[in-house]
Amino acid sequence: MKFMGKIKSGLISVLTTLMLMQFSIASAQVDNKIAGSITDENDRPVSYATVTMINYIDFSIIAGTVSDKNGNFEITNNKLGSYIISVSYIGYVSSKIPIYIKEHRSVYIGKIRLHSIAMDLNEAVVTRERIKTKQSLENTTYFVNKKMQKASSTGIDMVKFVPGVQVDLLHNISLEGNKNVLIQVNGIERGSDFLNQLNSDLIDKIEVDNNISGKHSSDIAGVLNIILKKEKYNGLSGHVYTDIPSNSNEVYAFPSASFNYIHNRLNFYSSYNGELSTFDIESHDDKNIKIPNHPKEILKTEFVQRKNWSHKFNLGLDYILNDKTQFGFYSFINPYSHEYDGVVEIEEKIKFSPTIAWKSSREDRDKNLSMLASVYYKHKFNKPEKTLTFYVNYFSLKVDNTKILSDFNSDRILKQILKPTIEDYHAQLDLSIPLKSGFSLEAGISDRLNIQGDKGLVSFTYRKNIAAAYTSLSYSRNSFHISGGMRVEYEDLESGESIDEEIFSYLPNLSMKYDMSKKSCLKFHYKKSIQRPGIYDLNPNINPIDPYTRQRGNLFLEPAIHQELALDYSISFNNNNLISIGTFYKRSTNAIENTIVLDDSHLFEISTENLGNFKYYGIKLFGSLKLYKNVTLNPLIKVYNIKTHTNRLAQEIGIENKNSLALESGFSMATSLKHDFTLSAMLKHNSSIAQIQSDSFEDPLYLISLDKDVLKKFKFGVTCAIPFKRTFNNEGYESSNPDFSRNFHEDLIMSTLPIWFKVKYSFASGKKVKRTNSLIKFDHNNRKSGL
């Protein structure tokens, strides 16, 4: 341990020294440069605009580059003379700036503002809509239009209109089928529930990043970054929103409120977002034991009511010390509960024997509390931007969950008790450095201490310390853009006397983009990532599920390793329509899954195990299309082949390799109607998805909404979910091996027309000022189970 600790310290020291050397080298460049920044008429940065340096005498091209994601650019020049700096980007009027260089020194020409293209028609000026989508090496940006704005009340409503994004009834978000999605607001790591309290009127655009760099935690599958409008009221502003159910057995409400106060350099904000949901549920868990001489069926049915409640209170502030320095604070406290109460019926059927029936009541007692406190510091060194960001945070989670099954015909009681706790300490330092023309460097170090345990099982403690360092180098010139980097993680694991282990992980990433024309591009991406087991996967506490089933975790799980390749072609056409089609390949080793086996007593045991490897390969298509004048459609289709390869453990319990096709699909749409009404709809449909032991399945989910703005400050709406369906399978899986087969499905019992009403009120007072963007980050591991 001491020897490895020295290696860890040495590794971090070496990487830190290399980053400081790179910073020093970058700061010591002697080449003279012409630098500036590019914005639109609303002072928003224009990324990847073409910048050309032209000789003033013969109009020959001397050099060229593109602006970075912050709108900044640099061109190296060591010759005196007269030149023209030409700036162009599709959808904007080109700008030409004459300059005269009479001495050898760098020149900063300031801010170049581009204006949207406008046409004079019958004395009426018609300005073209700004670009609805914009492709860059790092991400795809979707700009909010009026239809999206009118069809949305909160941030969670808004992201439903982003191609590739799917949202379930409990507002859990997935990106192209991946559930481990990082949600950011202006670069602040938040969590999907934060979007419930975010006023949709404040959202300017949404950045979607599937090409995760080493900057982010290695288990992140994608990033949604919500960019807010820069204008904000100096004074008090905010909103109040609520859902109103029409049926007491179908409560579906996510109330929220936000209050923001700005005074000069101080931005103080507080908010609330909640969840109140109630549904009647009928679930079936049927097991068929196929052992010779002992065949039998165990049929379990639950008639329960699921009640979820959550109240999350957010508080924070940003303070701008000067033009180069700002710092801030953010915190939340979140009590919540997920409970199932009702009746459980089990029948044991044995051939030629009487049926054994067991009936009990089910009562859940669930009380949980999560908290976060975080501070950040950001400093800009000079222009163009060289930025240093530091943040530190503390997160805690305490769960107290008890499930009680009480037999109606006896004094028999079964209890399942889970009391896991998490404490997480995290600090990170990030450095962003523009280098020579077209080059930029990002680097950083982080350290995370994560302590997990279970108050119901004193012997269970799991401590992991993850130290990481990353660096990423990017280059852009004309039509070609490339970014590559490496993240190195050192993980120190301890759990009592059972585990004392150190793991090094090397996680490279590479992204390339080639602009085939102003409207089309080709992207390639490779990344390696790691998926570590969570607390419920690790907890070895054995808990009874029912008289025939028990469940436990596994302290000795290995992390799963994922490697992904993707190639995408995107094209814009006909008034900013976008279509992207691509192919992908993913390989996962040491896949972590819940496994069910039959023991010698013919009881079922559910445990978490590493079961083998996966291979996925297929094609995907998504887009943002304007079908008619008032109709926009955002489709997603993903078709792929799944191959599983079992390891020795899986083979010993009779699991066979699989080779099957899968489909993930969906769409969102919005259309403007007369009298300021907006109609929107959303569909999510996935086929059965193969896992190593089980196959998961669910019913299609579809929602229809009608919204109307009234007096600018009020918005009223109505939503109908899954009309005429009556039952909705929100979760199901089936498995089979030589000893037994299992089929489980959980159905929501719905009315013919499940309807919820929506009311929103927005307010603002004072004078508009520019908004401050902070950079707080945190890791929120408390994810709700979704529909």
PDB file of all heavy atoms in Angstrom, residues 31 46 266 292 317 377 379 450 521 611 689 730 748 756:
ATOM      1  N   ASP A  31       5.685  33.992 -31.266  1.00  0.00           N
ATOM      2  CA  ASP A  31       5.043  34.372 -32.516  1.00  0.00           C
ATOM      3  C   ASP A  31       4.057  35.510 -32.275  1.00  0.00           C
ATOM      4  O   ASP A  31       3.329  35.521 -31.283  1.00  0.00           O
ATOM      5  CB  ASP A  31       4.289  33.166 -33.104  1.00  0.00           C
ATOM      6  CG  ASP A  31       5.244  32.126 -33.669  1.00  0.00           C
ATOM      7  OD1 ASP A  31       6.356  32.498 -34.101  1.00  0.00           O
ATOM      8  OD2 ASP A  31       4.860  30.950 -33.674  1.00  0.00           O
ATOM      9  N   VAL A  46     -20.021  33.016 -31.408  1.00  0.00           N
ATOM     10  CA  VAL A  46     -20.239  32.262 -32.641  1.00  0.00           C
ATOM     11  C   VAL A  46     -19.074  31.283 -32.780  1.00  0.00           C
ATOM     12  O   VAL A  46     -17.945  31.683 -33.052  1.00  0.00           O
ATOM     13  CB  VAL A  46     -20.327  33.190 -33.868  1.00  0.00           C
ATOM     14  CG1 VAL A  46     -20.490  32.358 -35.136  1.00  0.00           C
ATOM     15  CG2 VAL A  46     -21.495  34.154 -33.711  1.00  0.00           C
ATOM     16  N   LEU A 266     -23.635  40.629  -7.676  1.00  0.00           N
ATOM     17  CA  LEU A 266     -24.113  39.500  -6.893  1.00  0.00           C
ATOM     18  C   LEU A 266     -25.360  38.895  -7.539  1.00  0.00           C
ATOM     19  O   LEU A 266     -26.304  39.606  -7.886  1.00  0.00           O
ATOM     20  CB  LEU A 266     -24.438  39.934  -5.465  1.00  0.00           C
ATOM     21  CG  LEU A 266     -25.036  38.850  -4.554  1.00  0.00           C
ATOM     22  CD1 LEU A 266     -24.009  37.753  -4.287  1.00  0.00           C
ATOM     23  CD2 LEU A 266     -25.518  39.469  -3.245  1.00  0.00           C
ATOM     24  N   PRO A 292     -36.157 -32.283 -13.086  1.00  0.00           N
ATOM     25  CA  PRO A 292     -36.861 -33.581 -13.095  1.00  0.00           C
ATOM     26  C   PRO A 292     -37.207 -34.035 -11.678  1.00  0.00           C
ATOM     27  O   PRO A 292     -36.439 -33.874 -10.737  1.00  0.00           O
ATOM     28  CB  PRO A 292     -35.832 -34.523 -13.751  1.00  0.00           C
ATOM     29  CG  PRO A 292     -34.955 -33.635 -14.564  1.00  0.00           C
ATOM     30  CD  PRO A 292     -34.876 -32.340 -13.804  1.00  0.00           C
ATOM     31  N   LEU A 317     -25.330  31.166  -4.906  1.00  0.00           N
ATOM     32  CA  LEU A 317     -24.998  32.537  -5.289  1.00  0.00           C
ATOM     33  C   LEU A 317     -23.756  32.525  -6.171  1.00  0.00           C
ATOM     34  O   LEU A 317     -22.913  31.633  -6.084  1.00  0.00           O
ATOM     35  CB  LEU A 317     -24.783  33.445  -4.073  1.00  0.00           C
ATOM     36  CG  LEU A 317     -23.637  33.129  -3.105  1.00  0.00           C
ATOM     37  CD1 LEU A 317     -22.326  33.766  -3.555  1.00  0.00           C
ATOM     38  CD2 LEU A 317     -23.969  33.631  -1.707  1.00  0.00           C
ATOM     39  N   TYR A 377     -14.288  28.363  -8.013  1.00  0.00           N
ATOM     40  CA  TYR A 377     -13.499  29.567  -8.275  1.00  0.00           C
ATOM     41  C   TYR A 377     -13.063  29.514  -9.733  1.00  0.00           C
ATOM     42  O   TYR A 377     -12.600  28.479 -10.221  1.00  0.00           O
ATOM     43  CB  TYR A 377     -12.270  29.607  -7.366  1.00  0.00           C
ATOM     44  CG  TYR A 377     -11.251  30.667  -7.730  1.00  0.00           C
ATOM     45  CD1 TYR A 377     -11.394  31.977  -7.298  1.00  0.00           C
ATOM     46  CD2 TYR A 377     -10.144  30.344  -8.517  1.00  0.00           C
ATOM     47  CE1 TYR A 377     -10.459  32.950  -7.638  1.00  0.00           C
ATOM     48  CE2 TYR A 377      -9.206  31.301  -8.856  1.00  0.00           C
ATOM     49  CZ  TYR A 377      -9.365  32.603  -8.412  1.00  0.00           C
ATOM     50  OH  TYR A 377      -8.449  33.557  -8.749  1.00  0.00           O
ATOM     51  N   HIS A 379     -10.892  31.794 -12.838  1.00  0.00           N
ATOM     52  CA  HIS A 379     -10.045  32.944 -13.152  1.00  0.00           C
ATOM     53  C   HIS A 379      -9.648  32.907 -14.626  1.00  0.00           C
ATOM     54  O   HIS A 379      -9.194  31.889 -15.138  1.00  0.00           O
ATOM     55  CB  HIS A 379      -8.780  32.942 -12.285  1.00  0.00           C
ATOM     56  CG  HIS A 379      -7.877  34.106 -12.557  1.00  0.00           C
ATOM     57  ND1 HIS A 379      -8.156  35.380 -12.114  1.00  0.00           N
ATOM     58  CD2 HIS A 379      -6.705  34.187 -13.240  1.00  0.00           C
ATOM     59  CE1 HIS A 379      -7.195  36.196 -12.512  1.00  0.00           C
ATOM     60  NE2 HIS A 379      -6.301  35.505 -13.205  1.00  0.00           N
ATOM     61  N   ASN A 450     -14.889   8.311  -1.844  1.00  0.00           N
ATOM     62  CA  ASN A 450     -16.268   7.844  -1.764  1.00  0.00           C
ATOM     63  C   ASN A 450     -16.344   6.746  -0.697  1.00  0.00           C
ATOM     64  O   ASN A 450     -15.659   5.725  -0.795  1.00  0.00           O
ATOM     65  CB  ASN A 450     -16.725   7.313  -3.127  1.00  0.00           C
ATOM     66  CG  ASN A 450     -18.183   6.906  -3.123  1.00  0.00           C
ATOM     67  OD1 ASN A 450     -18.513   5.785  -2.755  1.00  0.00           O
ATOM     68  ND2 ASN A 450     -19.037   7.814  -3.553  1.00  0.00           N
ATOM     69  N   CYS A 521     -21.181  17.380 -42.773  1.00  0.00           N
ATOM     70  CA  CYS A 521     -19.925  17.035 -42.111  1.00  0.00           C
ATOM     71  C   CYS A 521     -19.904  15.548 -41.793  1.00  0.00           C
ATOM     72  O   CYS A 521     -20.940  14.871 -41.758  1.00  0.00           O
ATOM     73  CB  CYS A 521     -19.730  17.854 -40.830  1.00  0.00           C
ATOM     74  SG  CYS A 521     -20.891  17.452 -39.506  1.00  0.00           S
ATOM     75  N   LEU A 611     -20.912 -11.243 -15.601  1.00  0.00           N
ATOM     76  CA  LEU A 611     -21.382 -12.421 -16.327  1.00  0.00           C
ATOM     77  C   LEU A 611     -20.735 -12.620 -17.690  1.00  0.00           C
ATOM     78  O   LEU A 611     -20.984 -13.644 -18.329  1.00  0.00           O
ATOM     79  CB  LEU A 611     -22.905 -12.351 -16.505  1.00  0.00           C
ATOM     80  CG  LEU A 611     -23.737 -12.552 -15.240  1.00  0.00           C
ATOM     81  CD1 LEU A 611     -25.208 -12.503 -15.573  1.00  0.00           C
ATOM     82  CD2 LEU A 611     -23.392 -13.845 -14.547  1.00  0.00           C
ATOM     83  N   ILE A 689     -34.804  -5.915 -25.290  1.00  0.00           N
ATOM     84  CA  ILE A 689     -33.356  -5.718 -25.304  1.00  0.00           C
ATOM     85  C   ILE A 689     -32.689  -6.887 -24.576  1.00  0.00           C
ATOM     86  O   ILE A 689     -32.983  -7.158 -23.407  1.00  0.00           O
ATOM     87  CB  ILE A 689     -32.960  -4.394 -24.623  1.00  0.00           C
ATOM     88  CG1 ILE A 689     -33.749  -3.218 -25.215  1.00  0.00           C
ATOM     89  CG2 ILE A 689     -31.461  -4.172 -24.735  1.00  0.00           C
ATOM     90  CD1 ILE A 689     -33.454  -2.939 -26.650  1.00  0.00           C
ATOM     91  N   ASN A 730     -44.571  -0.891 -17.541  1.00  0.00           N
ATOM     92  CA  ASN A 730     -43.461   0.048 -17.428  1.00  0.00           C
ATOM     93  C   ASN A 730     -42.134  -0.670 -17.194  1.00  0.00           C
ATOM     94  O   ASN A 730     -41.080  -0.077 -17.366  1.00  0.00           O
ATOM     95  CB  ASN A 730     -43.765   1.060 -16.318  1.00  0.00           C
ATOM     96  CG  ASN A 730     -43.109   0.721 -15.011  1.00  0.00           C
ATOM     97  OD1 ASN A 730     -42.014   1.170 -14.743  1.00  0.00           O
ATOM     98  ND2 ASN A 730     -43.779  -0.044 -14.170  1.00  0.00           N
ATOM     99  N   LEU A 748     -48.909  -0.528 -14.885  1.00  0.00           N
ATOM    100  CA  LEU A 748     -49.671   0.566 -14.295  1.00  0.00           C
ATOM    101  C   LEU A 748     -51.123   0.436 -14.733  1.00  0.00           C
ATOM    102  O   LEU A 748     -51.406   0.218 -15.909  1.00  0.00           O
ATOM    103  CB  LEU A 748     -49.132   1.919 -14.757  1.00  0.00           C
ATOM    104  CG  LEU A 748     -47.981   2.541 -13.958  1.00  0.00           C
ATOM    105  CD1 LEU A 748     -46.740   1.689 -14.042  1.00  0.00           C
ATOM    106  CD2 LEU A 748     -47.708   3.957 -14.449  1.00  0.00           C
ATOM    107  N   TRP A 756     -53.600  15.354 -16.987  1.00  0.00           N
ATOM    108  CA  TRP A 756     -53.066  16.263 -15.990  1.00  0.00           C
ATOM    109  C   TRP A 756     -53.095  17.685 -16.560  1.00  0.00           C
ATOM    110  O   TRP A 756     -52.761  17.906 -17.720  1.00  0.00           O
ATOM    111  CB  TRP A 756     -51.631  15.903 -15.629  1.00  0.00           C
ATOM    112  CG  TRP A 756     -51.483  14.553 -15.037  1.00  0.00           C
ATOM    113  CD1 TRP A 756     -51.609  14.205 -13.724  1.00  0.00           C
ATOM    114  CD2 TRP A 756     -51.167  13.342 -15.739  1.00  0.00           C
ATOM    115  NE1 TRP A 756     -51.412  12.864 -13.554  1.00  0.00           N
ATOM    116  CE2 TRP A 756     -51.133  12.297 -14.781  1.00  0.00           C
ATOM    117  CE3 TRP A 756     -50.931  13.019 -17.070  1.00  0.00           C
ATOM    118  CZ2 TRP A 756     -50.867  10.985 -15.109  1.00  0.00           C
ATOM    119  CZ3 TRP A 756     -50.663  11.702 -17.397  1.00  0.00           C
ATOM    120  CH2 TRP A 756     -50.625  10.704 -16.432  1.00  0.00           C
TER     121      TRP A 756
END
